[in-house]
Amino acid sequence: MNRTNMVILVLVAMAMLSGCLMFYTGSEEGPFSVVAVREEPGRPKETILQAGGRANWYVVVGPDGGGKDTYFPAIRYYIASGGKTNSLSHATKWAYDDKNIEGAIPVRGTDRWVLVYCTKMTGDLVSLDVRVFTAQKLIAQHEIEAVVRDAKRDDLRGYGVCVVSDDGRSLTFPTTGGDCVLDGVTGKLSRPVPLPDS
């Protein structure tokens, strides 16, 4: 069996097994909107940008028929500084993220940022995926569970309370077991020491 016939056979088998065969045809981005800005004396201004867009696909065979174009909406994030723009795919959940960045907080006096994603919400508690990153790399990632939500002072757009220190370099997340403190410079997270069983 020659190579062309093998490729056709594999494609037909994939279509039969999955019920769908489609090819990626490119993507489109824009418009851009500003998510967060860091402006500090003596440091270059940094801006986190959100770009709406779409990933385009051509459906060869699918449950609704074939021979048509389709797309999936997508959101991408970038960080712009000094005339350069870098993708934030290293710090976001996926290269194409379908959710907004939550609580992008600059760590004062550094090149670091903190991102927060909600992973689970029940009543007055929320679990968070917290990430420390720069324009070039992810520094740290932590899961913090049972973060207290307070309607009077939700600092993370409805996803929980976060208290930034006076020097702007550490963040405290109150949990049901005590405070978790994130060092925004090193990315280290201090968790509360559990109380001994009585």
Side-chain angles (χ1 to χ4, degrees):
M1 184 179 286
N2 69 28
R3 184 180 171 111
T4 305
N5 289 340
M6 180 63 86
V7 170
I8 292 171
L9 182 62
V10 169
L11 291 175
V12 170
M14 285 173 48
M16 288 172 49
L17 291 173
S18 69
C20 185
L21 176 63
M22 53 194 210
F23 295 100
Y24 177 70
T25 60
S27 60
E28 302 169 27
E29 286 188 334
F32 288 86
S33 60
V34 174
V35 174
V37 177
R38 179 206 320 264
E39 286 188 277
E40 295 180 29
R43 295 196 56 82
K45 178 180 176 180
E46 286 187 320
T47 306
I48 294 180
L49 303 170
Q50 172 184 304
R54 52 193 262 175
N56 297 314
W57 294 82
Y58 178 76
V59 179
V60 178
V61 177
D64 299 327
K68 61 182 178 179
D69 293 313
T70 190
Y71 71 91
F72 299 101
I75 297 174
R76 286 197 79 162
Y77 296 95
Y78 299 91
I79 188 164
S81 178
K84 295 181 181 177
T85 304
N86 291 338
S87 169
L88 282 182
S89 58
H90 60 276
T92 54
K93 285 184 175 182
W94 305 280
Y96 277 93
D97 191 0
D98 63 350
K99 296 182 181 179
N100 291 335
I101 286 179
E102 303 296 348
I105 301 169
V107 179
R108 197 176 309 145
T110 73
D111 62 346
R112 273 114 167 104
W113 288 81
V114 176
L115 271 182
V116 178
Y117 290 98
C118 173
T119 58
K120 183 171 134 186
M121 187 182 306
T122 54
D124 292 334
L125 301 177
V126 65
S127 294
L128 301 175
D129 174 354
V130 180
R131 301 172 186 211
V132 179
F133 68 97
T134 68
Q136 289 79 31
K137 66 181 180 177
L138 181 66
I139 304 295
Q141 181 176 354
H142 304 283
E143 182 77 21
I144 305 175
E145 296 182 0
V147 176
V148 177
R149 296 176 65 212
D150 180 348
K152 293 180 185 168
R153 66 170 252 250
D154 259 345
D155 304 314
L156 300 172
R157 299 189 342 208
Y159 290 113
V161 173
C162 170
V163 180
V164 179
S165 64
D166 291 339
D167 68 0
R169 291 177 168 240
S170 67
L171 295 85
T172 302
F173 298 87
T175 71
T176 55
D179 291 346
C180 288
V181 181
L182 176 68
D183 183 327
V185 178
T186 65
K188 292 184 179 174
L189 181 69
S190 301
R191 298 184 186 269
V193 177
L195 297 172
D197 292 335
S198 52

